Amino acid sequence: MRFNFTTIYGLHTIGDRRGLWHELRLIQKDQAGPWLAMRDFNTVLNIEDRINGNQIHESEVKDFKNFMNDYHMAELRSIGAKYTWSNNSVSIKIDRGVSNTEWMLKYPHFDIIIMAPCFSDHSPLAIRLEDHQKKTYRPFRFFNVIAE
């Protein structure tokens, strides 16, 4: 199994994160094959990614959405908690895994597990390969009695 992996740490302001999007675009241009980028993007992607706190504005998500659309990236399915960061009054999903089309085609059974936070205000993320047991098919049997 071969793939490219990038771990992310996004800075706290929209302006400071512009460097992240620029670097990811450069990395993406050099990608050949499946690519997974995951961890702390430090920004939301969707309006439902924050409860309590300030309202989400388009300017917060624009750069992330543009990157995702421009490079045909998709968020991996996540299991566990909905939000990955909390200060006990505001909860936000700012940690996630995103992948390119090649990843989705080659590894469609991977999930991101959002675990309970231990020593940080962020939830750790793990990659899980979904267990897909081979289906066993019984042979088709035709009973002549039914036809009669």
Side-chain angles (χ1 to χ4, degrees), residues 23-34:
E23 289 296 321
L24 286 175
R25 288 172 189 276
L26 294 176
I27 290 170
Q28 193 283 333
K29 287 180 183 179
D30 292 335
Q31 294 302 315

Side-chain angles (χ1 to χ4, degrees), residues 9 14-15 19 36 43 48 61 77 100 102 105-106 115 120 127 131 134:
Y9 177 72
I14 294 169
L36 171 64
T43 187
E48 61 273 1
V61 299
R77 181 178 51 207
N100 64 1
E102 290 86 350
L105 292 172
K106 192 163 186 175
M115 299 181 290
S120 170
I127 303 170
D131 292 329
K134 280 190 170 181

Side-chain angles (χ1 to χ4, degrees), residues 62-78:
K62 182 180 72 171
D63 293 333
F64 198 178
K65 282 186 176 184
N66 286 343
F67 169 75
M68 297 283 285
N69 290 330
D70 292 349
Y71 293 100
H72 308 288
M73 302 291 282
E75 183 174 3
L76 267 64
R77 181 178 51 207
S78 61

Side-chain angles (χ1 to χ4, degrees), residues 21 23 32 45 51 77 86 90 109 112 115 119 136-137 139:
W21 307 124
E23 289 296 321
L45 184 58
I51 57 171
R77 181 178 51 207
S86 178
V90 177
H109 305 298
I112 300 294
M115 299 181 290
F119 52 86
T136 55
Y137 296 98

Side-chain angles (χ1 to χ4, degrees), residues 36-68:
L36 171 64
M38 66 183 270
R39 199 51 202 139
D40 181 6
F41 286 88
N42 229 330
T43 187
V44 295
L45 184 58
N46 304 299
I47 197 158
E48 61 273 1
D49 286 346
R50 182 187 298 145
I51 57 171
N52 302 328
N54 297 330
Q55 183 179 8
I56 295 173
H57 297 283
E58 181 62 28
S59 61
E60 287 181 78
V61 299
K62 182 180 72 171
D63 293 333
F64 198 178
K65 282 186 176 184
N66 286 343
F67 169 75
M68 297 283 285

